[in-house]
Amino acid sequence: MPSVEPAAPSLESLTSILSLTLPFPTPTTHPELLSTKDLHREEDLLHNPHSFRHWWTAIHTTKETLNVLQKAAPPSNLPPAIANLLGPLATPVARASLQKLTYLYEAALNHFPGSFKLWKAYLETRSWYILGKAVKPKRAGGRKKLQDMTDALEDEKAEMMIWEGGVDGIIGWEEWKALVATFERALMFLPNMPRIWLLYCNLFFHPKCPPVLSYTHARRTFDRALRTLPPSLHSRIWTRYLLWAETKSGNTIVSVYRRYLAVDTSVTEHYTALLLASTNPDPRPLEAAKLLLKLARQAARGEYVSPDSKSPYQLLGEWLDVVEKFAEEVGLDTQETDRIRAAEDQDKGLSADQRGSLVRFAVPPVPTFNKEDARPYDEDEDPASATKLDIEKLVRKDGLDVYPDQAGRLWSGLATYWIKRAEFDRAKRTFEAGLASVLTIRDFTQIFDAYAEFSETLISSLMESLAEPDDDDEDAVETEKELDALMKSFEDLMDRRPFLVNDVLLRRNPNDVQEWEKRVALWGEDDEKIVQTYIEALETISSKKATSNFHRLFINFAKFYEEGGATGTAEKDLDSARKILEKATKIAFKSVEDLAEVWCEWSELELRNENYEEAIRVMQRAAVVPKNPKINYHDQSLPVQARLFKSLKLWSFYVDLEESIGSVETTKNVYDKILELRIANAQIIINYAQFLEENDYFEESFKVYERGVELFTFPVAFEIWNIYLSKFVKRYGGSKLERARDLFEQALEKCPPKVSKALFLMYGSLEEEYGLAKRAMSIYDRATQSVADEEKFEMFTIYIAKAAASFGLPATRSIYERALETLPNRQTAQMCLRFAALERKMGEIDRARAIYAHASQFCDPRVDPNFWTEWNSFEIETGSEDTFREMLRIKRSVQAQFNTEASFLAAQALASRQGARPAEISTADPMAAAEREVDTSSKTAFVAARHTAVKNAAGDDEPQVNTEAVQNTEEIQISDDEDM
């Protein structure tokens, strides 16, 4: 016969299987609880009913025995789906074990109802059979002490228990109910034990917990725990309570979190994230926005510190993000906003009694609430209120007034809010208001880019709607008109960008002259706008706060009228230009030079229009000297007009003007006035003297030079003396030689050594050309003693050349000798080379060799190889073997003298600059290094010594040449009879 598949068990049969612990099983109702093996245990418990140890041992022994039986029992023969519903109670052995343990625990609790240890073990055992095996994730490190609630929630969520299996809440309802009853009984005996409350609360997190228990009963249980436990333990309950509320969401999470926020506001940010989470079926953006606004205000007042270290502006930015995303749910519409603005504007014009507010008389006004109490009620911060927010007011009050440096983001956010509400006209007005109020280019760029993007989006959407075929022609026409208007508005926005940028910079600093000039340039050829801009700039800028070149605005404005407008096509208006410059002369500029330039430009204006007399009259007005000319030019306490007469710039222009179109007498008067005021510089002196010279007033020009050298000291006086003496010599030559000598002596009397060289050379040239050669030599001799040290070598060179030309070469020996005594070491070596060359020309070989020997003490062979090369060539050409050996001995001695670390480093640096290898500079064998410089491989002969020459077999005096291989090619061959 065919096999028949067994029928699936019914719900009633499964429910009846799980009616195990209610009522409590006893041997009377369940005889199978006891067997013959249990008689000894029962007798022991009967003899010791009040011994906790006997009861505890009996329970654990039974539990271990039952665990072994459960592991050895065969698997359940129920289908997997049914077994999954029954959980740990799927096998008969497990069900029997639960009844036996329940019987033992209940019997023990009858004797020890207040034992926490017994109750805890009983509840964990019952929970294991109903909830399944609990798996607790492992954590690294210990829990923080005194951590805030946000961290506690994260840690608790990470450590939340995960159950494997568990009894279904519908089928095992009786067992779930019995477990809850057991917990209630435990709490009746031990109400202040937080561990039992936490075990109890774990039930409500189980995925198979019956809905009857996991909602209302769970909430009431958490509330009872908070009412029962002391406040110091509330944080442990609140952590589970808040996590349970997050799993239920909806009104539950709102009510629970609102209650906790009344005690601790540290989780407000976490709560707002939950309200706006994508997994939340009932998001509450209005409540989240109000909470974030409240946090931002509290943080700005210093009453709140974000757990995530967010600044008050960051909290306000999050609020603005919520407003942008949920514009319809959070903010008021346009009509309501306009109504509120109108009411506020109307209240501004009313007095306090007209607005209905109370006014105190005869006493200072006081706040209507106590500062120590809470702040007055604000509906915008009440999350329970359904009233929407006035976004425009809040952005201005809590954003722009508090964070003016973030105006770009705030204005863009407000405009985005209106865009999300489809209030495009209001968004445009917001963008325009933002562009008209920001003070930085960064904020302007942020708003302008958002504005341009918004306009492009509108235009593209309208173009797409036109691209789609539509039967309604009237709508298409309206759309085209709207598109044309938007395109025109967008083009106008792009054209206005330079002006808007300029407005931003001028708002930031209305005294920025350069930006006003850029503003003028932006108008191009629009004369009317240019005039308005100039007038506005001159009325706005404060002369004391203005940036540089404030006076250029007046000058350029006057040139604008003089040139006939921007294009030059209009008629010249010189009267207006004069009025502008006249007004400029009364402005208190920062610098006297600015005022002087205004007067000079006014005079140039008259010159350009050929009003020469008027130009001179203008300068005469500017250069009027007051009765008390002893005014300090740099005295900032005096106005610039009072110090103008000491402006060298003004007088320089005035004197140039007189030279060009005035007479000689008027020009001389102006120059004399400059000298009287003691404001002349060296250039003025030179110009005055040249002017007199050009007009054949030679003696007067020399007097001007003399006045100049009296006014100035060296080194400025040197330039005047240099020109004065050259002009005098050129004018009189040798006719007034004594006077010229007196002038030179006067010039050299106070002349510093640094600049005296040119005067000595000019003085010597005068004596050579018109005076005596011996006197010229004495002047050059004085020069070698008076000039600066760095110029003495050159002065000696000139002195030697002049002496040689006048008195011959022998006369220069004394000069050379004094040069060797005066010059520093390195220059002494150079002078010795010239001295030796002179002696060689004169045939004095021994004197030349002595000079080389004297100079050798200043020349390190590694640093000054040129000197030793020249001496080497000299000995080869004119010396003997003895003199050459003496030269090498001196070279070794000098090298040993300079063989110090500092000189060695200097030699290395010099060699590296000349491209030599460091290996070639060795101090290990100074003799070899010295001999290596002598190129003996060329076999160049030198004059042989008479008593050291070796005669060959033929009897000549020629030295023999060794044809054998020589190991050292640089070795000097010396006869064995040398010492004889």
Side-chain angles (χ1 to χ4, degrees):
M1 294 180 61
S3 61
V4 180
E5 182 179 355
S10 62
L11 178 62
E12 291 76 8
S13 61
L14 293 177
T15 305
S16 61
I17 291 175
L18 295 181
S19 298
L20 303 173
T21 58
L22 196 66
F24 300 131
T26 62
T28 306
T29 58
H30 297 74
E32 66 275 7
L33 293 179
L34 294 177
S35 63
T36 56
K37 297 179 181 180
D38 301 328
L39 292 178
H40 179 70
R41 181 196 68 196
E42 292 294 327
E43 289 178 359
D44 186 40
L45 293 176
L46 287 174
H47 286 96
N48 302 285
H50 300 293
S51 174
F52 183 81
R53 182 174 59 83
H54 285 78
W55 282 101
W56 188 255
T57 303
I59 290 172
H60 271 271
T61 302
T62 305
K63 185 184 291 186
E64 291 175 358
T65 303
L66 294 176
N67 287 337
V68 173
L69 290 176
Q70 288 185 51
K71 292 179 180 179
S76 174
N77 56 358
L78 296 174
I82 303 300
N84 186 35
L85 294 175
L86 297 179
L89 300 177
T91 61
V93 177
R95 293 192 288 271
S97 300
L98 174 60
Q99 289 179 328
K100 290 181 180 181
L101 291 174
T102 301
Y103 157 68
L104 284 176
Y105 274 114
E106 290 291 343
L109 289 171
N110 285 331
H111 296 282
F112 307 100
S115 173
F116 170 75
K117 183 176 182 181
L118 195 59
W119 273 112
K120 182 174 180 292
Y122 181 30
L123 294 174
E124 288 178 348
T125 301
R126 290 285 297 272
S127 299
W128 185 88
Y129 280 101
I130 304 303
L131 306 181
K133 182 180 179 182
V135 179
K136 190 174 183 179
K138 295 181 180 180
R139 61 175 287 122
R143 184 189 293 268
K144 289 183 182 178
K145 291 184 178 180
L146 303 176
Q147 59 183 353
D148 56 19
M149 183 55 70
T150 305
D151 295 336
L153 287 173
E154 294 179 358
D155 292 345
E156 194 68 31
K157 190 178 295 183
E159 297 176 4
M160 188 65 68
M161 288 186 179
I162 303 173
W163 290 272
E164 295 178 356
V167 179
D168 183 72
I170 297 175
I171 296 176
W173 164 244
E174 294 296 331
E175 288 302 317
W176 277 92
K177 187 167 61 173
L179 179 60
V180 169
T182 305
F183 272 106
E184 293 290 344
R185 287 171 51 225
L187 292 173
M188 182 176 62
F189 291 104
L190 302 170
N192 294 323
M193 291 297 174
R195 174 54 58 187
I196 296 179
W197 284 106
L198 294 175
L199 288 175
Y200 191 9
C201 294
N202 280 340
L203 294 177
F204 311 130
F205 291 92
H206 198 283
K208 294 184 178 181
C209 182
V212 178
L213 301 176
S214 62
Y215 283 90
T216 304
H217 179 77
R219 179 172 54 80
R220 291 175 178 173
T221 303
F222 280 115
D223 293 342
R224 282 194 298 127
L226 293 173
R227 288 195 298 268
T228 304
L229 294 174
S232 60
L233 299 174
H234 281 190
S235 59
R236 303 178 67 180
I237 302 299
W238 271 116
T239 306
R240 302 288 181 91
Y241 199 179
L242 295 177
L243 289 178
W244 172 81
E246 291 180 17
T247 61
K248 303 308 175 187
S249 66
N251 291 328
T252 304
I253 188 174
V254 173
S255 60
V256 173
Y257 264 94
R258 282 182 182 177
R259 286 176 56 194
Y260 183 74
L261 290 179
V263 181
D264 180 15
T265 60
S266 63
V267 296
T268 307
E269 296 178 44
H270 179 70
Y271 176 44
T272 56
L274 293 175
L275 292 177
L276 301 174
S278 58
T279 56
N280 189 356
D282 184 20
R284 294 171 177 258
L286 179 59
E287 182 175 352
K290 290 187 175 183
L291 289 173
L292 287 173
L293 178 62
K294 183 178 180 180
L295 290 183
R297 289 177 174 178
Q298 290 178 344
R301 296 193 298 263
E303 300 173 1
Y304 172 78
V305 178
S306 172
D308 298 332
S309 302
K310 294 179 182 178
S311 65
Y313 172 72
Q314 286 177 314
L315 294 172
L316 187 69
E318 292 184 1
W319 170 80
L320 195 58
D321 293 337
V322 174
V323 169
E324 293 177 359
K325 188 175 181 180
F326 303 96
E328 295 287 346
E329 296 86 348
V330 173
L332 299 173
D333 57 9
T334 310
Q335 291 78 14
E336 189 66 21
T337 303
D338 291 339
R339 186 186 65 78
I340 295 175
R341 292 289 87 74
E344 291 177 352
D345 294 340
Q346 185 177 1
D347 289 344
K348 288 180 181 178
L350 300 178
S351 61
D353 54 348
Q354 289 175 330
R355 292 196 298 269
S357 302
L358 296 178
V359 179
R360 290 172 175 259
F361 294 95
V363 292
V366 296
T368 57
F369 63 94
N370 191 354
K371 291 184 178 179
E372 297 179 358
D373 299 336
R375 302 183 69 85
Y377 174 76
D378 190 351
E379 197 173 23
D380 294 338
E381 298 180 3
D382 185 7
S385 174
T387 305
K388 293 184 178 180
L389 302 175
D390 185 357
I391 304 301
E392 198 170 70
K393 175 184 175 182
L394 294 175
V395 168
R396 294 177 183 273
K397 175 184 174 183
D398 296 290
L400 296 172
D401 293 346
V402 181
Y403 309 103
D405 55 330
Q406 301 294 333
R409 170 69 183 96
L410 297 172
W411 281 111
S412 301
L414 181 57
T416 305
Y417 163 76
W418 291 118
I419 293 172
K420 290 294 183 68
R421 297 187 67 96
E423 299 290 346
F424 300 136
D425 293 337
R426 194 63 174 254
K428 287 183 179 179
R429 291 202 297 270
T430 303
F431 278 126
E432 291 291 345
L435 292 175
S437 63
V438 294
L439 300 177
T440 62
I441 296 298
R442 178 177 63 86
D443 293 336
F444 169 81
T445 304
Q446 194 170 0
I447 298 174
F448 187 86
D449 293 345
Y451 193 5
E453 184 179 358
F454 163 66
S455 301
E456 291 175 355
T457 304
L458 279 182
I459 292 172
S460 60
S461 61
L462 289 178
M463 293 179 68
E464 290 176 1
S465 63
L466 287 176
E468 297 176 358
D470 193 358
D471 297 336
D472 194 348
D473 295 337
E474 294 182 1
D475 292 343
V477 172
E478 292 295 330
T479 304
E480 289 180 357
K481 291 182 179 179
E482 186 178 357
L483 179 60
D484 292 340
L486 285 175
M487 292 288 289
K488 184 177 180 182
S489 175
F490 182 68
E491 291 175 358
D492 179 62
L493 176 64
M494 294 295 109
D495 294 338
R496 287 191 297 127
R497 191 181 192 284
F499 292 92
L500 294 173
V501 172
N502 186 258
D503 286 338
V504 172
L505 297 175
L506 288 178
R507 278 196 300 273
R508 185 175 62 184
N509 183 12
N511 299 302
D512 193 339
V513 177
Q514 287 71 28
E515 292 303 325
W516 282 109
E517 291 178 346
K518 292 179 182 178
R519 183 79 168 188
V520 171
L522 288 175
W523 290 116
E525 299 179 356
D526 192 342
D527 292 347
E528 184 177 353
K529 293 292 185 181
I530 291 175
V531 172
Q532 292 178 1
T533 303
Y534 272 123
I535 293 174
E536 182 182 0
L538 297 179
E539 291 176 351
T540 303
I541 297 176
S542 172
S543 60
K544 296 299 182 183
K545 299 179 181 179
T547 59
S548 59
N549 296 328
F550 177 40
H551 62 287
R552 296 301 307 176
L553 274 180
F554 291 93
I555 295 171
N556 293 335
F557 194 12
K559 285 185 178 180
F560 172 80
Y561 281 111
E562 180 192 0
E563 295 172 357
T567 59
T569 56
E571 184 179 356
K572 294 183 178 181
D573 190 355
L574 296 181
D575 292 337
S576 298
R578 292 189 184 104
K579 289 179 182 179
I580 294 169
L581 294 174
E582 181 71 33
K583 181 180 179 181
T585 59
K586 300 176 182 179
I587 299 297
F589 294 107
K590 291 182 180 180
S591 171
V592 178
E593 300 304 313
D594 296 344
L595 180 60
E597 188 172 351
V598 172
W599 282 105
C600 295
E601 288 290 340
W602 190 354
S603 181
E604 286 185 358
L605 180 143
E606 302 295 346
L607 288 176
R608 287 193 295 268
N609 293 276
E610 300 180 357
N611 299 326
Y612 303 118
E613 295 182 0
E614 185 65 26
I616 292 179
R617 279 196 294 270
V618 168
M619 297 311 300
Q620 288 174 348
R621 284 182 57 193
V624 173
V625 179
K627 294 181 180 179
N628 181 20
K630 297 181 179 180
I631 292 177
N632 187 0
Y633 176 78
H634 301 286
D635 188 358
Q636 298 294 331
S637 62
L638 298 175
V640 291
Q641 285 79 7
R643 296 177 282 150
L644 178 64
F645 73 97
K646 283 200 172 183
S647 172
L648 183 59
K649 183 176 184 178
L650 179 73
W651 285 102
S652 297
F653 182 85
Y654 188 12
V655 77
D656 289 343
L657 183 64
E658 288 290 353
E659 285 187 26
S660 301
I661 60 177
S663 63
V664 175
E665 291 301 323
T666 57
T667 306
K668 288 172 62 179
N669 292 335
V670 175
Y671 272 120
D672 290 338
K673 205 68 176 178
I674 295 174
L675 295 177
E676 289 176 10
L677 293 174
R678 303 182 69 85
I679 59 175
N681 56 14
Q683 189 63 48
I684 292 292
I685 299 296
I686 294 171
N687 292 343
Y688 189 12
Q690 287 182 348
F691 171 76
L692 294 174
E693 184 181 354
E694 291 172 359
N695 291 277
D696 297 334
Y697 293 93
F698 297 104
E699 285 298 328
E700 291 189 19
S701 69
F702 295 149
K703 291 180 181 179
V704 170
Y705 282 125
E706 292 176 0
R707 292 178 66 181
V709 296
E710 291 176 2
L711 288 174
F712 299 100
T713 58
F714 287 92
V716 178
F718 167 76
E719 302 296 337
I720 300 176
W721 274 115
N722 196 10
I723 299 173
Y724 179 22
L725 293 173
S726 62
K727 294 285 187 181
F728 188 89
V729 172
K730 181 180 179 182
R731 171 68 180 168
Y732 294 111
S735 60
K736 295 185 178 183
L737 186 59
E738 290 300 325
R739 182 178 173 186
R741 287 172 178 169
D742 291 340
L743 291 176
F744 274 108
E745 292 297 336
Q746 291 178 25
L748 292 172
E749 183 179 358
K750 297 181 180 180
C751 184
K754 199 169 185 179
V755 295
S756 62
K757 175 185 171 184
L759 296 180
F760 275 114
L761 293 177
M762 192 184 303
Y763 194 5
S765 299
L766 174 69
E767 291 294 346
E768 287 181 29
E769 188 173 354
Y770 302 107
L772 300 175
K774 185 178 291 186
R775 191 179 183 88
M777 294 302 108
S778 65
I779 293 172
Y780 289 130
D781 185 65
R782 284 174 55 194
T784 58
Q785 302 174 11
S786 301
V787 297
D789 291 341
E790 59 269 15
E791 295 180 343
K792 284 185 177 181
F793 181 83
E794 185 177 356
M795 197 67 233
F796 271 111
T797 303
I798 297 172
Y799 185 13
I800 291 170
K802 296 290 185 180
S806 300
F807 302 103
L809 292 177
T812 61
R813 281 177 175 164
S814 59
I815 303 175
Y816 274 114
E817 292 173 357
R818 194 151 52 81
L820 297 182
E821 297 174 358
T822 307
L823 294 176
N825 292 345
R826 292 191 60 81
Q827 293 181 349
T828 299
Q830 299 179 26
M831 190 61 70
C832 284
L833 292 176
R834 298 187 180 187
F835 195 7
L838 170 67
E839 295 295 347
R840 289 181 65 181
K841 288 181 182 178
M842 299 176 65
E844 298 290 342
I845 303 300
D846 293 336
R847 290 178 61 88
R849 184 174 290 109
I851 293 171
Y852 279 122
H854 173 73
S856 64
Q857 60 182 319
F858 310 117
C859 300
D860 186 352
R862 294 164 300 182
V863 180
D864 298 313
N866 295 333
F867 170 80
W868 295 97
T869 302
E870 185 170 342
W871 192 4
N872 181 74
S873 302
F874 169 76
E875 293 294 346
I876 291 174
E877 295 175 4
T878 62
S880 64
E881 184 177 340
D882 293 336
T883 59
F884 191 82
R885 286 169 59 83
E886 181 66 16
M887 184 269 293
L888 292 180
R889 185 192 65 77
I890 293 174
K891 186 174 184 180
R892 290 193 299 272
S893 175
V894 171
Q895 187 167 355
Q897 178 185 353
F898 282 100
N899 190 15
T900 60
E901 183 179 358
S903 61
F904 181 69
L905 294 176
Q908 276 191 325
L910 182 62
S912 62
R913 287 196 298 269
Q914 295 176 352
R917 294 191 302 272
E920 295 176 357
I921 303 173
S922 174
T923 59
D925 188 1
M927 179 64 186
E931 292 176 348
R932 196 176 298 119
E933 295 182 4
V934 183
D935 189 8
T936 57
S937 60
S938 59
K939 302 301 180 183
T940 305
F942 51 83
V943 178
R946 295 179 181 178
H947 63 282
T948 58
V950 181
K951 295 184 179 182
N952 54 18
D956 335 24
D957 291 337
E958 295 181 3
Q960 291 182 349
V961 180
N962 187 8
T963 58
E964 297 181 359
V966 182
Q967 294 182 356
N968 186 359
T969 58
E970 297 181 353
E971 182 180 0
I972 300 175
Q973 301 297 331
I974 302 175
S975 173
D976 295 334
D977 299 334
E978 178 183 0
D979 296 332
M980 295 179 62

